[in-house]
């Protein structure tokens, strides 16, 4: 009887095992192609032609079975990846995915090419080509090669331009130097205006606006990188309010002037609010103050030392006999020694047991 | 003139707290009017709201002193209490030191208080605690820092310093030009 039962149990267990294994193994004609970096599994097996025609619950069930089988194969592959425990010994088991092989298509259309500027159009029309300029220029007066622009440039020495001729047909009263300066300023302004116009035209035409400072190269200075990091931080939908900070980065609100000016509270601002803020500050300061343990301990120690010294003196006197005892008694009756007696009681250890009991 | 920043307020309250403890609340929150602290040329002034409104209309260069000067911030942003704050701090002082009539004059000249000149001292004064110095007739004379705790004061020899001098009312005469 028992043997039969055991056999039955074993058979049932084995059937259960087979069932479980069946649910885990999947048979396919063609092997699937896997891209584990994207968690992608491509099934090139031809679908069962008969079942997928027409809508219906049977079709649904077949599709679901197909999806389940493919997912089973993908998960089996994932379990084969090298894994480690994240966050120490008790953390979850994390598989390390390989690099994704499948290139996902673009989300947005590629940027259009920049439209040519007015000068570029003109140059193309006229056939003007760009000539490379030399960096040094021969300065005739200084008789040496000077740089084209910058420190000690050729012909840029202001002491040299001591004369400005009045051109024929100009007003003799006009200040020529002022005129030259004004014209230079106008030229610079016009140049800047044209640059901005070209930029606006490119932007309107949908071209990619050159964001060269925002792409990291190896040659950027610390300030530039800091500026770029700040811009990148603010370029989110919430203007950087919820961006996580590095551990040592200080939490600060963005200043309008970009860190140039210190801002203070207004002079006659809300005085009630100021008062409440100050009271809260006082409360915080008060709560953090530790109790003066040191002073108390020191004073207590001093008192104990005094008491011990007095006790020692009293003991010495008691050894002298009757006279000492009389003095002792007299000493004991005074208020001072009463206090001392109480302090002796408080002492955790030490001599003077007789006196303590009597007190 | 501008209000104090958070750090500056903290520095001022910490210094004042050394002398008057938690009674600063009574200075900040007064029943008879709104008083506030303002900073003008590195000096901290204590003034009423009414005076503040009037002083706000004076140009910065012409303004000498709005209200009572409590002290000033040094170049390294440390706060120094000055004697002009005595009238406000003396009623709220926690730890007091009374000086004998003989050495009153010495204190008013800027010297420290010796044990021989010490009349009374508040019980439980810690060492280096801020104290207000009074004469025996309960007239406030200035500020100081206790050089010894009360217990130690009892035992120390008569020529030892018990209170370091910080400010006294004699400064009104001595440093008349630099006081605001």
């Amino acid at each position: 009887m028992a043997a039969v039962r055991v056999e039955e149990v074993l058979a049932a267990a084995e059937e259960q095992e087979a069932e479980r294994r069946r649910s885990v193994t999947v048979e396919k004609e063609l092997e699937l192609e896997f891209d584990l970096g994207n968690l992608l599994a491509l099934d090139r097996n031809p679908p069962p032609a008969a079942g997928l025609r027409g809508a219906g619950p049977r079709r649904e069930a077949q599709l679901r079975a197909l999806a389940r089988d493919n997912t089973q194969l993908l998960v089996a592959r994932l379990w084969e990846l090298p894994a480690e425990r994240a966050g120490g010994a008790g953390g979850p088991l994390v598989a390390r995915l390989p690099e994704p092989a499948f290139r996902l298509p673009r989300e947005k259309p590629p940027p259009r090419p920049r439209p040519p500027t007015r000068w570029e159009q003109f140059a193309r029309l006229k056939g003007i080509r760009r000539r490379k300029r030399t960096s040094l220029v021969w300065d005739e007066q200084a008789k040496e090669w000077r740089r084209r622009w910058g420190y000690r440039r050729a012909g840029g020495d202001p002491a040299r331009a001591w004369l400005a001729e009045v051109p024929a047909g100009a007003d003799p009263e006009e200040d020529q130097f002022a005129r030259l300066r004004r014209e230079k300023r106008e030229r610079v302004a016009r140049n800047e205006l044209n640059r901005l116009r070209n930029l606006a035209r490119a932007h309107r035409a949908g071209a990619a606006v050159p964001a060269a400072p925002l792409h990291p190269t190896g040659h950027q200075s610390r300030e530039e990188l800091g500026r770029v990091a700040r811009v990148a931080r603010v370029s989110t939908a919430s203007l950087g309010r919820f961006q996580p900070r590095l551990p040592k980065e200080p939490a600060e609100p963005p200043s309008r002037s970009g860190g140039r000016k210190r801002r203070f509270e207004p002079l006659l601002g809300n005085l009630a609010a100021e008062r409440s803020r100050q009271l809260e500050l006082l409360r915080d300061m008060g709560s953090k103050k530790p109790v003066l343990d040191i002073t108390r301990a020191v004073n207590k120690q001093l008192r104990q030392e005094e008491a011990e010294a007095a006790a020692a003196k009293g003991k010495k006197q008691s050894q002298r006999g009757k006279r000492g005892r009389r003095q002792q008694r007299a000493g004991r009756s005074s208020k001072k020694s009463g206090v001392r007696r109480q302090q002796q009681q408080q002492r955790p250890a030490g001599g003077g047991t007789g006196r303590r009991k009597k007190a | 003139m501008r209000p104090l920043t958070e750090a500056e307020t903290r520095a001022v309250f910490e210094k004042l707290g050394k002398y008057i403890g938690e009674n600063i609340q009574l200075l900040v929150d007064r029943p008879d009017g709104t008083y506030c602290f303002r900073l003008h040329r590195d000096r901290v002034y204590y003034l009423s709201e009414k005076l503040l409104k009037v002083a706000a209309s004076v140009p910065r260069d012409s303004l000498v002193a709005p209200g009572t000067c409590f002290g000033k911030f040094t170049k390294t942003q440390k706060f120094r209490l000055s004697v002009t704050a005595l009238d406000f701090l003396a009623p709220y002082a926690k730890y007091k030191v009374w000086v004998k009539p003989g050495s009153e004059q010495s204190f008013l000249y800027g010297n420290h208080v010796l044990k021989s000149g010490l009349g009374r001292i508040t019980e439980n004064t810690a060492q280096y605690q801020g104290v207000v110095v009074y004469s025996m007739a309960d007239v406030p004379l200035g500020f100081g820092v206790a050089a010894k705790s009360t217990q130690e004061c009892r035992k120390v020899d008569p020529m030892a310093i018990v209170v370091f001098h910080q400010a006294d009312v004699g400064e009104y005469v001595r440093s008349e030009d630099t006081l605001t």
Side-chain angles (χ1 to χ4, degrees):
Chain A
M1 266 294 271
V4 170
R5 278 245 287 270
V6 164
E7 272 172 22
E8 277 177 17
V9 165
L10 281 173
E14 213 181 292
E15 213 186 299
Q16 249 182 10
E17 269 293 323
E19 181 81 44
R20 219 180 295 140
R21 236 178 281 131
R22 243 179 289 145
S23 70
V24 169
T25 53
V26 176
E27 292 293 324
K28 288 274 187 186
E29 285 178 11
L30 275 173
E31 275 293 317
L32 267 57
E33 291 175 17
F34 291 99
D35 178 14
L36 294 172
N38 277 324
L39 293 182
L40 177 72
L42 284 169
D43 184 4
R44 292 198 191 275
N45 290 305
L52 291 179
R53 221 175 282 134
R58 238 184 70 218
R59 184 168 173 237
E60 274 297 316
Q62 278 193 337
L63 284 174
R64 194 161 298 171
L66 189 65
R68 195 214 80 88
D69 288 339
N70 287 339
T71 318
Q72 180 65 65
L73 286 169
L74 177 63
V75 170
R77 274 303 181 93
L78 285 175
W79 271 106
E80 289 169 16
L81 285 174
E84 60 196 12
R85 290 230 164 248
L93 196 65
V94 170
R96 197 169 315 159
L97 298 176
E99 284 293 312
F102 199 82
R103 275 188 69 192
L104 293 168
R106 284 182 83 95
E107 184 200 340
K108 300 229 163 53
R112 282 197 286 267
R114 188 170 55 90
T117 62
R118 278 177 62 102
W119 164 254
E120 280 176 0
Q121 288 169 8
F122 178 77
R124 203 183 311 143
L125 205 63
K126 289 281 184 170
I128 301 171
R129 265 206 295 238
R130 185 159 171 72
R131 248 180 305 174
K132 183 133 172 119
R133 287 175 152 188
T134 60
S135 52
L136 296 176
V137 183
W138 176 250
D139 191 354
E140 193 54 55
Q141 281 210 332
K143 299 277 191 306
E144 65 175 0
W145 289 96
R146 286 253 178 99
R147 50 187 95 183
R148 193 179 284 275
W149 51 269
Y151 180 59
R152 289 219 194 117
R153 56 178 168 275
D157 194 7
R160 260 199 245 170
W162 54 273
L163 180 71
E165 284 181 14
V166 177
D171 179 19
E173 303 291 316
E174 193 190 359
D175 183 1
Q176 296 304 314
F177 295 109
R179 183 182 60 90
L180 288 170
R181 276 201 303 273
R182 189 184 59 230
E183 283 182 354
K184 179 166 174 81
R185 226 179 302 137
E186 282 169 6
R187 279 201 303 273
V188 168
R190 198 183 327 132
N191 201 357
E192 184 67 22
L193 181 68
N194 285 332
R195 184 182 77 86
L196 291 173
R197 264 207 216 125
N198 288 333
L199 215 58
R201 202 178 298 125
H203 193 259
R204 231 181 310 128
V209 183
L214 294 181
H215 299 308
T217 64
H219 319 292
Q220 276 156 324
S221 68
R222 186 207 159 104
E223 291 88 27
E224 219 175 308
L225 286 174
R227 210 182 325 132
V228 166
R230 217 187 357 259
V231 170
R233 163 183 218 82
V234 179
S235 322
T236 58
S238 344
L239 300 180
R241 270 184 68 193
F242 304 110
Q243 291 296 100
R245 289 198 168 262
L246 290 175
K248 286 204 182 151
E249 224 179 327
E252 66 199 22
S255 49
R256 288 257 191 91
S257 52
R260 277 192 297 263
K261 226 172 166 171
R262 264 184 91 179
R263 281 265 185 98
F264 300 112
E265 299 287 313
L267 178 61
L268 281 167
N270 189 356
L271 286 177
E274 187 184 330
R275 188 169 48 187
S276 59
R277 240 184 303 131
Q278 283 178 348
L279 286 173
E280 219 178 282
L281 177 70
L282 280 173
R283 220 198 341 257
D284 288 337
M285 279 167 57
S287 64
K288 278 193 205 143
K289 261 192 204 137
V291 182
L292 290 171
D293 285 325
I294 305 164
T295 332
R296 273 224 186 119
V298 163
N299 289 345
K300 212 173 190 176
Q301 184 67 26
L302 286 171
R303 276 202 299 269
Q304 282 173 10
E305 279 172 13
E306 281 173 22
E308 276 174 21
K313 208 165 58 166
K315 257 200 194 144
K316 265 201 212 133
Q317 286 179 352
S318 72
Q319 282 169 11
R320 290 197 204 127
K322 218 180 189 178
R323 217 194 310 151
R325 246 180 267 129
R326 247 192 247 135
Q327 281 184 354
Q328 208 185 343
R329 222 170 264 144
R332 235 193 288 159
S333 61
S334 73
K335 227 198 243 176
K336 223 182 176 184
S337 71
V339 168
R340 244 186 253 130
R341 235 183 286 138
Q342 281 174 23
Q343 284 166 1
Q344 279 171 33
Q345 273 191 327
Q346 283 168 20
R347 248 190 302 152
T353 44
R355 225 171 267 148
R356 224 195 273 155
K357 275 188 202 153
K358 280 176 190 159
Chain B
M1 190 163 42
R2 63 166 173 86
L4 299 172
T5 62
E6 174 86 24
E8 287 166 352
T9 324
R10 196 178 286 269
V12 171
F13 283 174
E14 264 176 23
K15 199 57 185 265
L16 290 179
K18 288 203 175 106
Y19 293 90
I20 60 180
E22 62 270 357
N23 290 335
I24 307 177
Q25 281 176 26
L26 298 166
L27 278 181
V28 171
D29 196 10
R30 277 168 76 140
D32 60 338
T34 321
Y35 280 70
C36 55
F37 291 94
R38 287 293 181 267
L39 194 81
H40 176 60
R41 289 205 199 131
D42 286 332
R43 282 173 205 266
V44 175
Y45 292 94
Y46 181 65
L47 60 163
S48 64
E49 181 189 355
K50 190 164 51 94
L51 190 58
L52 174 64
K53 289 202 170 125
V54 171
S57 60
V58 175
R60 241 176 256 181
D61 299 333
S62 321
L63 186 64
V64 173
T68 321
C69 175
F70 263 34
K72 66 183 212 169
F73 277 100
T74 62
K75 282 280 180 330
T76 51
Q77 298 308 313
K78 295 194 182 47
F79 182 65
R80 280 210 124 199
L81 205 57
S82 78
V83 71
T84 39
L86 188 59
D87 291 329
F88 289 94
L89 301 196
Y92 302 124
K94 287 192 87 167
Y95 298 102
K96 306 181 184 179
V97 166
W98 285 263
V99 154
K100 288 188 189 146
S103 62
E104 246 176 56
Q105 191 78 334
S106 164
F107 182 72
L108 288 177
Y109 272 120
N111 302 317
H112 303 303
V113 178
L114 307 178
K115 169 80 190 293
S116 54
L118 184 68
R120 292 197 331 247
I121 182 167
T122 325
E123 195 63 47
N124 295 332
T125 313
Q127 197 180 20
Y128 307 131
Q129 175 74 43
V131 295
V132 176
V133 174
Y134 290 81
S135 75
M136 285 320 267
D138 273 338
V139 173
L141 294 178
F143 304 123
V145 171
K148 306 252 185 289
S149 67
T150 316
Q151 291 276 354
E152 287 177 36
C153 272
R154 292 202 184 110
K155 296 197 203 152
V156 88
D157 62 297
M159 280 294 120
I161 297 176
V162 292
V163 174
F164 294 124
H165 167 282
Q166 289 218 313
D168 65 275
V169 292
E171 278 177 26
Y172 281 111
V173 176
R174 287 199 318 268
S175 22
E176 198 180 335
D177 303 325
T178 52
L179 219 55
T180 42

